[in-house]
Amino acid sequence: MTSINKNNELIEVCRKMLVEDISLVYGARRVLALAKEIGGIDDAIFNVIKGVVSETDDYPELSNRSKFSDEYLEKVDREVDDYIASVKSDVFDVSREIIDKYSDSSNRP
């Protein structure tokens, strides 16, 4: 995938997070992976995203959820929901900043 395509995917994931078409946990994980791929991981703009990924690193990936008990999933879902509620506005703000930084004029909303 070219860097332009990765930038476009980064922008798309941020847009999906803003309208909550993707979970902020899984969106943050994808944004961080893309930041690594495009060489932007050390950019301070990704610090909030790094924090979200770090704070939710024990939250199971979608593909692994079936391996966990319903009780565990209910517990961790509540914990993550509470955490996400506390950082949601920060994630939205940084998502807009990432869109602005990585968009060219043809990608801007």
Side-chain angles (χ1 to χ4, degrees):
M1 185 178 282
T2 68
S3 63
I4 292 172
N5 289 340
K6 289 178 186 177
N7 284 1
N8 288 341
E9 184 179 352
L10 178 65
I11 292 163
E12 186 60 26
V13 172
C14 287
R15 285 180 176 159
K16 285 182 177 185
M17 288 194 306
L18 285 170
V19 296
E20 299 182 62
D21 277 351
I22 186 173
S23 141
L24 296 186
V25 172
Y26 299 119
R29 289 175 180 177
R30 186 64 191 139
V31 166
L32 195 58
L34 288 163
K36 288 177 184 175
E37 290 178 31
I38 62 174
I41 193 66
D42 293 325
D43 189 332
I45 199 169
F46 294 105
N47 286 347
V48 169
I49 299 298
K50 288 178 191 176
V52 170
V53 171
S54 176
E55 290 296 319
T56 61
D57 64 352
D58 60 343
Y59 191 68
E61 291 287 339
L62 288 173
S63 60
N64 292 332
R65 285 181 65 90
S66 64
K67 297 177 183 177
F68 294 90
S69 71
D70 289 341
E71 295 81 19
Y72 173 78
L73 290 173
E74 287 173 14
K75 177 183 177 281
V76 76
D77 285 348
R78 279 191 308 272
E79 291 171 358
V80 168
D81 287 347
D82 290 344
Y83 171 71
I84 290 300
S86 73
V87 297
K88 187 179 202 175
S89 66
D90 293 333
V91 172
F92 283 3
D93 289 346
V94 78
S95 293
R96 288 182 196 96
E97 291 175 28
I98 292 168
I99 291 167
D100 286 344
K101 181 170 183 165
Y102 286 89
S103 290
D104 62 33
S105 60
S106 66
N107 286 330
R108 289 219 162 98

